[in-house]
Amino acid sequence: MTGRPATSLAAIRRWSARINVADLLMWIVGGAILIFIVAGSIATLRLGIYSFRQWVDFIVFGLAQGGVYALIALGYTMVYGTLRMINFAHGEVFMSGAYTAYFLAFTLAQNGWIERYPVISLAMIFAVSMGTSALVAVLVERIAYRPLRNAPRLVALITAIGASFFLQYAFRGLYGSGFKAYPRMSFLEGSWSLGDFRILHLQVVVIVAAALMMAVLYLFIQKTKTGKAIRAVSEDKAAAALMGISVDRMIVITFVIGGLAAGFAGVLFALMFKQVHFFMGFIPGIKAFTAAVLGGIGNIPGAMIGGAFLGIFESLGPILFLDGFGIKAPYQLKDAIAFAMLVLVLIFRPTGVLGERLVQKKA
Amino acid sequence: MTTVTTLRARFGAATGNPFSGGAWRIPVRYGAVAGVTAVFVSLIGMVEAFSRREVIETAVSMDQVLLLVITGTAGYLAASRFAARGIGKSVIAATLSGVIATLFLLALLVLGDRINLRQVLLNASPSLYLELTFGKGLGTGAGLLALQIIAGAVGSGLIALLPPAPRRALLIGLTVVAGMGILHDLMSLTFQNWGPLSVLDTWLYSSTGLKVRGASALFLIFGGWSLLWAMKGPQIRERSKTLPLARSAARPVALLAALVLLAALPQILGLFLSEVLVLVGLAALMALGLNIVVGMAGLLDLGYVAFFAIGAYTMAILTSSELAFFGFNFWAALPLAILAGVVTGVLLGVPVLRMRGDYLAIVTLGFGEIVRLLVLSDALRPWLGGAQGIGRIPRPEIGSFEFVSSQQVYYLVLGGCVFAAFISWRLKGSRLGRAWLAIREDEDVAAAMGINRVYFKLLAFAAGAAFAAMSGAIAASRLGIIYPHSFSLLISINVLAIVIIGGMGNIPGVVIGAFALVGLPEILREFGDFRWLVYGAALVGMMLLRPAGLWPEAIRKRELTARPAGVPETPSTSPSAGDTS
Amino acid sequence: MRRFSFLGLLIMVLAVLAVACGGGASTTAFTPPSDPIGVIKIGPKDPIRIASALVISGADANLGTDSQRGVELAIADRKAIKGHSIQLQAEDDGCSSEGGQAAGTKLAANPQIVGVVGTSCSSAARAAAPLITKAGKVMVSPSNTAPSLTAPDRSADFAGYLRTAHNDKVQGAVAAKFAREQLKVSKVATIHDGSPYAEQLQAVFAAEFKKLGGQITAQEAVAPTDTDMRPVLTKIAAGKPDLIYYPIFVAAGGHVTTQARKTSGLEQVKLMSADGTFAVDFLKAASDAAVGVYHSSPDFSAFAGGYADFKAKHKAKYGEDPVSAFHAHAYDAAMIMFKAIEKVGVEGPDKSLYIPQKALRDALFATKDHQGLTGKINCDKNGDCADPKIAVYQNSADNVKQAKVPDTPIWKPY
């Protein structure tokens, strides 16, 4: 009889000892965000302004935008997976390809090639963009990252930021500060309808391209010999070097692939949104970084999933969570929602949706 | 056989003792890098923009200095690499690098003459070609250009071969002349503040640049001083050590002198440089705060601007007569602004307690953006002003003295910085500081040693946020009006760069970092968009040259110089791997 | 201020002494002008120094670069004032209040700077104008449009501030009137991009439109860097507006235009933007979707014949067409400043030039019927100098095909 309260007290104490204050606090914050989201969603749905079709539209828009984020995030995550460094200049690598290829696209549009030989023209544009981006990526690696490979990670972060500024203003100096617009490619315009739903050709192209690129990168990393070597370098540089893997070469290859991916994404971005500008890489770069983290940084399928999630949060979130509360101009807050959702996901899954276990140790 | 030669070439290049046939590739490479750089600065419009500015009136323009510095560096490095092989070969190496660099520029000129590069490259304009060829066209002009560049390279090569003392003197003299010429406007304005000494301005400068007499005087004075110091300096230093009074009296005297200098600085420097000091001070204040979070506790925060914004907006809401909510004065609102920063610091700290490294970075970045978006939003406009910001924030005042001009605000910012530096310094040596250090070095081990991570991490966020909020509050009342656009991600990035460039964890280092990354760009304001280009290049360059920062903490320095066990030097594929450090 | 008047006095005394000592050599004694604020003396061979404070870095660099080129071309055209060449010191206003503060302080600290063309952004002007005014200088902005800057009750701190750009109040009202009375629409949604400019303009528009009996179905906002506008457009579609008014800039404006009519429920909606998108870049960015879009904008048909000439010179010098909308306003801002300097400047016997600052300010405010590129420039006592002829344009298919903004407005309120 006397033992029971004591044991239950001990149980409570044991139980409370297992619960970390940190966890508790985090759960409170997470719970508060969740309650806000649920309440907002219910309020919005009860308003009943938007039809089912519009809700589907929001999701499709989100997926298409997410495809763009994923395209950029793949290059990001590729470099991160190998070097464990935030390549802040990746957005500028993306910009450099799309911006340079603009001049080719413009010339091709003027002499009518785009209409006559659309496939060749497009291939040329992709080639120029991917080539430029890869070149820029390799140069940045050689000049700004390689000498600091053994320095603390923050040092490389700062050189990455420096490289990002430098590239922005270098391209501004070279090509000017105006907005340039990619020519129209009629064969990419238009939309498919599926009953009431409509999706633009380009949106499909972007989603398919992102998925394809993810598959190619994934297979490359998992199945090829080079991929294996890159993975070895990412696990342990010293051991990889002892196994006869040229660490420098593998890292250069990583940057080349990251650059090619960025150049590829750049042209698709430019075809979809038309405009190129020296500052165009900065925000998508940040968004792609967010997407990569959301999915679990360093993880290739994670970048894809992170991109899709981010796109959907941005497209659906403001209206679903905020409109019900009667908040003015909810789309102004879409990035705030995206980041709040990021916090929410990371509270419950601290290494992202598909986060790898290694991260705790290495990050 | 071939392997032996390549190995030798690599060895030679890496150690700086080129005794093999492949060594001639070095000046060629230097020349090529210089040539590409020269073409690059021409094509981004720097040469043309700089051609309008004269360093020495009618004689030397800024674009010439720019090109000479680029190609001269190549010549200098090439020659110093060959110094061991004798003067003759060194001069040939320097010449070679100059010739190679020239070839690139000539290629640009010929190409520009044949095709219209301007379709793509906006700055490949006729006026650029005219500038490069001294207005003489491709034939004679190109010859003159080649002559100038090669002469520059050879000259720099010769400088490299001088004995250390005169070489130093020459370089210092030249740097001072170039610097004073480039900073003409700033220096002339500063001299004009100096009462009777303001004749310096007219004596040194004409309306366009340095006068020839000014340039030669500066060169002689500074070069001569350096030479003199090289000869007598060690003796003087030695003797000053043995002076009986020096040791005991020097410290208080130096401190007093420093205080007087700090107090008199705005009057000495004049209005604009005081403004620069205010900006540096506000940035240093933020950086001191971030230094606690990143430098001491090792928590990477990319959204630090949030606390700056919260300080500024709290100040604005409490004091602005436009909103007319509270009508506090500056001194009543300041503690509340800091408190608001502390509270949000803890609030941000909670969800990120478990996150590490890059996950922490992106979440804090998100937090910074969330704060900016909230103050910008239409939804909160009635309370936070929305896109139109908040205006009519009263200036700080003591009695009837109002802090309006930057010469007055300076004292306020100085006070804040001294306060923050003092607190940081005390924190660092305390139990708290050591706990942070332990968390920074290894979180898990720290926890195992019984350090309460939750408590100390939250404390780090709170302390860091307090300084940023203070900086924000001062900035808001100084400007009198704030806009959401002022609180962008770029500020977080810039402050982080200050902390790391300055020397993470080290208080004086952080202040130096603020001078380097906020002061210099402000001083170079007139170079417009090029300053961001240079800023980016400088971030990379400074980190390459001093990865531990300009003034690193002793512990960090040891970490960096001692290679971590088990990590071999990465084998390099190119022979120049040793060049960079 | 005291220092400046003292300086003026000093110069005067010295000059008088010099003349007195010179003895009867010259019979006409020269007295430099005196001025309550101060007099800037420009040495015999020295240039007249003016400054610009425009946004030439960052995401808005277009706007400032465009204006700066306008100023540079004005200097190239004007060449000299009374034998003194003109030198430009270009500063960056960063399109922010702290950027304006830093640039303003630097210019205020330099006694040789006669006047400033700037700022690009109203937020920068709020900080910079009081500093420039306190230093006794004048400042003419080519692109600030915030009404408060030239409001009749503006503080004395703005006494040296003028602008050649039109006030948002004018443009917002014209757009509302056009939408309500010409297009006869009754339901309108607005979009702004969080910039003080667009937010203000849509607010003025909404207020005027409601006054005319219309209904505002939504006032939405996006970020200038957004690319996918479909979600926000879908939300707008729920209110079934007849017209969307989005006075934003090329990047976001282009995306809204291309995506609006492809959004379910907005197939028939009319689109109206403002001067921020009235640019060739916009036509290229939005391509076919730009056909039929209305723009409220300064009446370019009233632009003087010199404009074609200006554009030719621009192309020759910078290798491209103007990159934003306020180059002509900047050109005019510089030109009225030169004219005022010429009017008040007094030449000394040694060919030095004296510029009395209060007189310069008064002369600028008194600018009347100056034939500028943007029309007839008349400054009022609050500093509004623009020819407030705001008209409405509509892009035709030909405009888009030739990448050329329409020449003649379809509607003028005057």
Side-chain angles (χ1 to χ4, degrees):
Chain A
M1 276 304 278
T2 48
R4 280 187 70 186
T7 42
S8 68
L9 215 74
I12 290 175
R13 201 177 297 143
R14 240 183 295 137
W15 184 74
S16 69
R18 218 181 305 145
I19 289 200
N20 200 310
V21 189
D23 288 334
L24 200 68
L25 287 173
M26 281 171 70
W27 286 337
I28 292 173
V29 173
I33 299 178
L34 263 181
I35 290 171
F36 183 84
I37 287 172
V38 173
S41 306
I42 291 173
T44 307
L45 292 174
R46 281 179 59 183
L47 280 178
I49 306 174
Y50 305 98
S51 64
F52 174 67
R53 190 190 132 178
Q54 277 167 321
W55 288 118
V56 176
D57 276 349
F58 283 126
I59 292 176
V60 172
F61 300 152
L63 276 178
Q65 181 71 19
V68 176
Y69 292 152
L71 274 171
I72 310 170
L74 282 168
Y76 230 115
T77 224
M78 177 87 196
V79 171
Y80 186 91
T82 313
L83 277 183
R84 310 276 145 190
M85 72 163 283
I86 304 175
N87 183 9
F88 226 89
H90 190 73
E92 274 59 48
V93 172
F94 159 84
M95 172 272 291
S96 66
Y99 207 165
T100 307
Y102 157 79
F103 294 100
L104 176 67
F106 178 73
T107 318
L108 291 176
Q110 283 218 317
N111 59 25
W113 271 53
I114 283 189
E115 293 307 316
R116 266 181 289 155
Y117 315 105
V119 178
I120 300 175
S121 308
L122 209 54
M124 282 163 69
I125 293 169
F126 271 112
V128 167
S129 172
M130 290 163 78
T132 313
S133 288
L135 181 71
V136 171
V138 169
L139 278 177
V140 169
E141 194 272 335
R142 179 69 191 83
I143 295 168
Y145 302 157
R146 189 182 297 178
L148 293 168
R149 208 171 286 151
N150 292 324
R153 289 149 37 82
L154 275 179
V155 172
L157 177 68
I158 296 298
T159 55
I161 290 170
S164 164
F165 276 116
F166 182 83
L167 288 174
Q168 274 172 23
Y169 287 93
F171 278 92
R172 185 211 153 142
L174 291 174
Y175 299 152
S177 62
F179 288 90
K180 306 272 193 293
Y182 260 60
R184 278 186 55 213
M185 311 220 169
S186 43
F187 66 102
L188 283 174
E189 311 254 314
S191 60
W192 282 301
S193 308
L194 201 88
D196 232 4
F197 305 116
R198 220 169 38 170
I199 187 159
L200 298 177
H201 291 176
L202 260 170
Q203 290 177 331
V204 177
V205 168
V206 165
I207 295 173
V208 170
L212 262 179
M213 195 158 102
M214 180 199 78
V216 169
L217 284 181
Y218 187 76
L219 289 178
F220 173 77
I221 290 291
Q222 295 297 331
K223 302 287 177 200
T224 65
K225 210 168 173 189
T226 320
K228 207 171 183 180
I230 289 177
R231 273 186 293 144
V233 169
S234 111
E235 289 280 332
D236 191 329
K237 283 196 208 70
L242 289 176
M243 294 293 119
I245 295 169
S246 166
V247 174
D248 275 342
R249 236 190 78 179
M250 288 310 131
I251 290 175
V252 167
I253 289 176
T254 310
F255 273 88
V256 168
I257 293 172
L260 291 175
F264 184 74
V267 174
L268 279 178
F269 185 91
L271 288 176
M272 184 137 165
F273 297 118
K274 294 283 179 285
Q275 307 163 7
V276 287
H277 184 230
F278 77 96
F279 216 64
M280 68 182 271
F282 191 68
I283 300 289
I286 303 265
K287 289 288 175 64
F289 178 32
T290 312
V293 170
L294 195 59
I297 191 159
N299 183 317
I300 288 173
M304 187 78 195
I305 291 193
F309 268 72
L310 190 66
I312 291 177
F313 289 149
E314 284 187 358
S315 146
L316 198 62
I319 204 145
L320 186 62
F321 307 153
L322 299 182
D323 211 31
F325 294 129
I327 286 172
K328 265 183 166 179
Y331 275 97
Q332 211 172 16
L333 295 171
K334 79 177 183 5
D335 288 355
I337 291 201
F339 283 119
M341 297 303 291
L342 175 78
V343 172
L344 192 67
V345 169
L346 291 184
I347 283 179
F348 294 109
R349 282 198 65 90
T351 54
V353 179
L354 295 185
E356 40 172 359
R357 273 172 297 130
L358 273 173
V359 160
Q360 279 261 332
K361 199 172 74 199
K362 295 216 170 172
Chain B
M1 195 53 212
T2 36
T3 30
V4 174
T5 23
T6 21
L7 269 181
R8 229 205 252 148
R10 275 189 197 176
F11 176 75
T15 52
N17 285 315
F19 288 112
S20 65
W24 291 104
R25 269 187 280 163
I26 296 171
V28 173
R29 189 177 317 122
Y30 286 147
V33 170
V36 169
T37 315
V39 169
F40 176 75
V41 295
S42 306
L43 288 181
I44 60 169
M46 238 172 168
V47 167
E48 205 189 331
F50 282 13
S51 66
R52 285 172 228 139
R53 287 279 309 270
E54 285 172 359
V55 174
I56 300 173
E57 58 167 348
T58 65
V60 184
S61 64
M62 224 159 80
D63 58 327
Q64 285 170 315
V65 172
L66 179 73
L67 288 178
L68 277 179
V69 165
I70 292 169
T71 49
T73 310
Y76 183 93
L77 290 176
S80 56
R81 272 310 187 64
F82 276 72
R85 289 181 145 198
I87 293 181
K89 285 195 170 168
S90 306
V91 171
I92 296 173
T95 318
L96 185 60
S97 70
V99 170
I100 300 286
T102 312
L103 287 180
F104 280 87
L105 277 174
L106 290 184
L108 170 69
L109 287 176
V110 172
L111 209 65
D113 195 48
R114 297 280 151 76
I115 1 173
N116 183 9
L117 294 175
R118 228 178 169 191
Q119 290 289 334
V120 176
L121 301 163
L122 269 188
N123 288 303
S125 62
S127 49
L128 169 72
Y129 303 138
L130 222 56
E131 187 55 42
L132 282 176
T133 53
F134 303 91
K136 297 224 161 55
L138 198 51
T140 11
L144 282 176
L145 177 73
L147 202 68
Q148 184 185 337
I149 287 176
I150 295 169
V154 174
S156 319
L158 288 176
I159 294 179
L161 298 175
L162 288 173
R167 182 175 68 204
R168 232 179 119 80
L170 210 57
L171 285 178
I172 287 182
L174 286 175
T175 314
V176 168
V177 171
M180 292 290 278
I182 290 166
L183 297 178
H184 166 199
D185 265 354
L186 210 63
M187 295 316 293
S188 329
L189 280 180
T190 312
F191 289 146
Q192 282 167 22
N193 279 317
W194 288 3
L197 280 180
S198 59
V199 287
L200 264 178
D201 174 31
T202 43
W203 198 84
L204 286 174
Y205 291 112
S206 74
S207 64
T208 49
L210 277 172
K211 288 177 180 165
V212 176
R213 68 166 180 217
S216 9
L218 284 171
F219 180 77
L220 287 177
I221 291 170
F222 282 88
W225 174 72
S226 158
L227 208 57
L228 214 66
W229 182 252
M231 293 192 294
K232 301 272 181 198
Q235 289 172 30
I236 297 173
R237 217 179 293 152
E238 208 52 46
R239 211 175 304 154
S240 72
K241 268 188 198 155
T242 56
L243 282 178
L245 259 175
R247 299 240 79 170
S248 57
R251 259 198 125 167
V253 168
L255 203 69
L256 196 72
L259 277 180
V260 170
L261 185 71
L262 276 178
L265 220 46
Q267 269 56 49
I268 298 173
L269 293 180
L271 188 60
F272 175 65
L273 284 176
S274 303
E275 167 79 11
V276 173
L277 282 181
V278 166
L279 292 171
V280 168
L282 288 172
L285 196 50
M286 285 179 78
L288 282 169
L290 188 65
N291 185 40
I292 294 178
V293 183
V294 178
M296 296 191 196
L299 304 163
L300 178 54
D301 188 343
L302 278 184
Y304 195 60
V305 68
F307 308 117
F308 183 67
I310 281 164
Y313 267 87
T314 313
M315 175 58 73
I317 291 166
L318 291 176
T319 61
S320 163
S321 58
E322 193 176 281
L323 293 174
F325 288 156
F326 299 96
F328 283 27
N329 72 17
F330 174 82
W331 298 105
L334 185 64
L336 291 173
I338 294 174
L339 184 70
V342 168
V343 170
T344 44
V346 172
L347 278 182
L348 164 71
V350 169
V352 301
L353 280 172
R354 270 298 167 83
M355 296 167 200
R356 296 186 188 188
D358 303 321
Y359 291 89
L360 182 63
I362 189 72
V363 170
T364 46
L365 185 151
F367 187 68
E369 282 294 285
I370 289 176
V371 169
R372 184 180 67 82
L373 289 167
L374 285 180
V375 296
L376 173 66
S377 72
D378 287 2
L380 298 174
R381 174 153 188 193
W383 304 281
L384 299 176
Q388 302 301 330
I390 303 180
R392 282 196 241 147
I393 304 167
R395 318 275 176 178
E397 47 190 8
I398 298 177
S400 59
F401 178 78
E402 227 187 333
F403 294 90
V404 182
S405 81
S406 29
Q407 277 164 314
Q408 295 156 336
V409 177
Y410 165 83
Y411 294 104
L412 195 65
V413 175
L414 180 68
C417 281
V418 168
F419 173 75
F422 179 74
I423 300 266
S424 309
W425 176 59
R426 295 295 297 167
L427 279 178
K428 203 178 166 190
S430 71
R431 211 173 83 83
L432 201 60
R434 290 196 300 276
W436 284 333
L437 187 76
I439 291 177
R440 178 182 92 185
E441 295 304 322
D442 194 320
E443 217 184 301
D444 298 314
V445 173
M449 298 307 283
I451 289 171
N452 183 343
R453 281 184 292 180
V454 175
Y455 174 72
F456 284 108
K457 274 190 178 179
L458 291 183
L459 217 56
F461 278 118
F467 290 166
M470 182 156 108
S471 180
I474 297 175
S477 65
R478 174 184 90 100
L479 288 172
I481 178 156
I482 52 172
Y483 288 93
H485 300 278
S486 307
F487 303 99
S488 71
L489 173 63
L490 289 179
I491 296 193
S492 302
I493 288 177
N494 200 7
V495 176
L496 182 68
I498 290 174
V499 172
I500 291 166
I501 293 271
M504 207 165 45
N506 196 27
I507 296 163
V510 167
V511 177
I512 301 272
F515 271 98
L517 292 190
V518 176
L520 281 184
E522 277 308 319
I523 286 174
L524 300 177
R525 197 154 238 295
E526 58 201 288
F527 300 114
D529 46 328
F530 297 121
R531 79 198 162 113
W532 291 109
L533 186 91
V534 175
Y535 179 86
L539 282 189
V540 177
M542 281 196 245
M543 288 281 85
L544 291 182
L545 293 175
R546 297 185 71 96
L550 296 174
W551 187 341
E553 215 180 11
I555 299 179
R556 290 257 160 204
K557 211 173 176 180
R558 259 183 276 138
E559 273 171 21
L560 267 172
T561 41
R563 198 168 289 286
V567 180
E569 190 173 0
T570 24
S572 58
T573 45
S574 83
S576 68
D579 297 356
T580 35
S581 48
Chain C
M1 284 199 194
R2 186 177 292 166
R3 206 178 61 194
F4 283 107
S5 57
F6 177 69
L7 191 74
L9 206 71
L10 189 78
I11 290 168
M12 204 176 79
V13 170
L14 284 178
V16 167
L17 277 179
V19 170
C21 295
S26 77
T27 42
T28 50
F30 171 74
T31 2
S34 67
D35 188 271
I37 300 178
V39 178
I40 295 173
K41 184 193 173 201
I42 290 158
K45 281 179 189 159
D46 292 347
I48 296 172
R49 298 186 56 181
I50 68 158
S52 66
L54 301 158
V55 51
I56 47 180
S57 66
D60 303 309
N62 249 8
L63 179 65
T65 308
D66 182 58
S67 301
Q68 189 178 316
R69 288 171 173 178
V71 179
E72 285 169 2
L73 286 173
I75 292 175
D77 279 1
R78 177 75 206 208
K79 290 188 185 76
I81 302 170
K82 301 201 170 176
H84 292 261
S85 64
I86 306 162
Q87 196 184 37
L88 177 71
Q89 179 176 337
E91 298 287 347
D92 187 357
D93 83 359
C95 199
S96 63
S97 44
E98 63 276 11
Q101 172 95 8
T105 310
K106 178 160 186 200
L107 298 175
N110 190 342
Q112 283 299 306
I113 301 275
V114 178
V116 182
V117 176
T119 58
S120 287
C121 300
S122 302
S123 51
R126 295 250 184 107
L131 294 165
I132 303 283
T133 302
K134 256 178 230 161
K137 302 180 199 304
V138 288
M139 175 167 162
V140 187
S141 167
S143 63
N144 295 161
T145 56
S148 64
L149 291 170
T150 53
D153 63 343
R154 67 178 184 171
S155 85
D157 284 350
F158 286 79
Y161 174 86
L162 307 92
R163 64 173 159 204
T164 54
H166 43 272
N167 191 319
D168 282 342
K169 276 209 166 120
V170 182
Q171 192 177 177
V174 168
K177 196 163 175 227
F178 173 75
R180 189 76 190 104
E181 290 173 1
Q182 289 304 118
L183 297 178
K184 307 230 186 299
V185 296
S186 55
K187 291 200 284 185
V188 173
T190 66
I191 303 177
H192 71 82
D193 63 357
S195 65
Y197 160 81
E199 203 272 345
Q200 181 93 49
L201 197 47
Q202 65 83 30
V204 172
F205 175 91
E208 290 288 330
F209 192 70
K210 279 185 215 157
K211 238 186 259 167
L212 295 169
Q215 184 198 346
I216 300 290
T217 60
Q219 283 176 290
E220 289 296 332
V222 295
T225 48
D226 282 355
T227 46
D228 193 358
M229 306 295 179
R230 289 180 187 94
V232 73
L233 288 166
T234 305
K235 179 174 188 298
I236 284 175
K240 300 192 174 57
D242 307 315
L243 178 131
I244 302 177
Y245 182 63
Y246 52 110
I248 54 182
F249 295 97
V250 169
H255 296 314
V256 168
T257 310
T258 45
Q259 294 164 24
R261 294 216 183 90
K262 290 178 184 159
T263 304
S264 319
L266 292 178
E267 288 85 356
Q268 300 303 318
V269 79
K270 294 185 169 72
L271 297 174
M272 180 161 191
S273 187
D275 49 8
T277 52
F278 195 60
V280 174
D281 278 353
F282 171 78
L283 297 180
K284 288 186 192 160
S287 67
D288 288 352
V291 176
V293 173
Y294 301 99
H295 299 267
S296 56
S297 171
D299 188 349
F300 281 78
S301 64
F303 271 30
Y307 188 58
D309 189 32
F310 172 88
K311 275 166 82 172
K313 282 180 196 158
H314 190 285
K315 180 97 185 172
K317 185 156 182 190
Y318 303 108
E320 58 183 346
D321 283 327
V323 290
S324 185
F326 292 103
H327 44 274
H329 295 85
Y331 183 93
D332 287 352
M335 279 301 187
I336 60 171
M337 194 181 283
F338 299 156
K339 207 171 176 183
I341 293 171
E342 183 172 40
K343 193 165 137 196
V344 302
V346 179
E347 274 176 290
D350 62 346
K351 297 278 187 223
S352 51
L353 186 67
Y354 298 85
I355 302 171
Q357 292 182 284
K358 177 80 168 67
L360 175 64
R361 185 184 285 179
D362 293 343
L364 257 176
F365 276 86
T367 301
K368 283 279 166 296
D369 293 330
H370 169 81
Q371 189 56 56
L373 290 181
T374 58
K376 279 230 162 50
I377 309 277
N378 287 294
C379 296
D380 69 12
K381 64 182 193 315
N382 300 317
D384 257 330
C385 300
D387 198 351
K389 281 185 179 135
I390 301 293
V392 176
Y393 290 81
Q394 186 176 23
N395 301 320
S396 70
D398 276 350
N399 290 138
V400 175
K401 203 178 277 169
Q402 294 161 10
K404 196 166 163 292
V405 292
D407 293 324
T408 42
I410 54 161
W411 183 73
K412 300 178 187 180
Y414 38 87

